[in-house]
Amino acid sequence: MIHLDNVSWRRGKKDSAPVLAHLSFMVPQGGFRWLLGPSGAGKSSLLSLLHIENLPTDGQMTILGKTVAQEEKRAALVRLRQRIGMVHQDYQLMPDLSVADNVALPLRLQNRPEDEIQDEVHAILKWVGLGSRTDVPANRLSGGEQQRTAIARAIIHRPGLILADEPTNALEESQSCRLLDMFAELSAMGTTVVVATHNESLVRRLERPFLFLEHGRLVDDGGEQP
Ligand SMILES: Nc1ncnc2c1ncn2[C@@H]1O[C@H](COP(=O)(O)OP(=O)(O)OP(=O)(O)O)[C@@H](O)[C@H]1O
């Protein structure tokens, strides 16, 4: 579940213009929202906020049932962030680590047994079509391969919330459709999903409520339906 109540976020000093201003919306657990808006509207900034890379400057933000503004200990925020899967626009892979080791990271952070990790990594890499690329360092992958690695890493630990920033821009259409089907399936099973995109055909393919940002303000809050 996501709940923002009059949240604003400034990048710098208190008197600077807010990048995100007075955002209020709710996404129930298992809800799916498209995050839309023109370039520079603040979509990536909102996803970073939901991923708790930044904290609200004003207002109250609740993520997966925890009110983040009231969390004081950094360790608690890190634990909460581990329950979120994020696909960054620039993938943010560890360049020298192999595909398999990048994807295994969230499971290693959970101290899962190594044989279980190997099995899960193998299965998910097969699913995203990277079964033959497991040992390749991330810095030798094509854009589409990097994006699929980032997607596998974001979902392998079955997070309660998945955030994705333009997750299909380096994918072929058939791969985009498979990814979309998987996001819809995860949402139906109770995972909250927020996907920022400029891809209109993707949005038409899966009719879901959208959050629409313009100049850092919400002009459509998606309503309250699942
Ligand atoms: N590192 C930065 N330093 C200063 N300003 C930034 C930085 N990154 C983004 N901005 C500004 O913050 C605002 C919001 O940017 P953001 O990247 O969140 O928009 P966006 O909707 O995701 O855009 P796009 O669709 O092009 O990815 C824009 O005015 C942008 O110019």
Side-chain angles (χ1 to χ4, degrees), residues 11 19 37-46 89 165-166 198 213:
R11 194 177 301 280
V19 176
S39 185
K43 302 182 296 297
S44 300
S45 304
L46 177 55
Q89 206 167 11
D165 202 351
E166 299 281 358
H198 288 286
L213 276 177

Side-chain angles (χ1 to χ4, degrees), residues 127 171-181 202 205:
W127 190 88
L171 301 186
E172 289 166 13
E173 204 185 332
S174 62
Q175 292 167 345
S176 300
C177 292
R178 280 185 74 199
L179 179 66
L180 201 58
D181 290 346
L202 211 62
R205 218 180 110 86

Side-chain angles (χ1 to χ4, degrees), residues 17-18 21 46 49 56 60 62 89 91 96 103 147 151 159 185 191 193 204 215:
L46 177 55
L49 203 67
Q60 187 160 292
T62 304
Q89 206 167 11
Y91 319 132
D96 298 325
V103 172
Q147 193 155 38
I151 291 163
E185 209 174 297
T191 307
V193 182
R204 276 197 299 273
H215 304 297

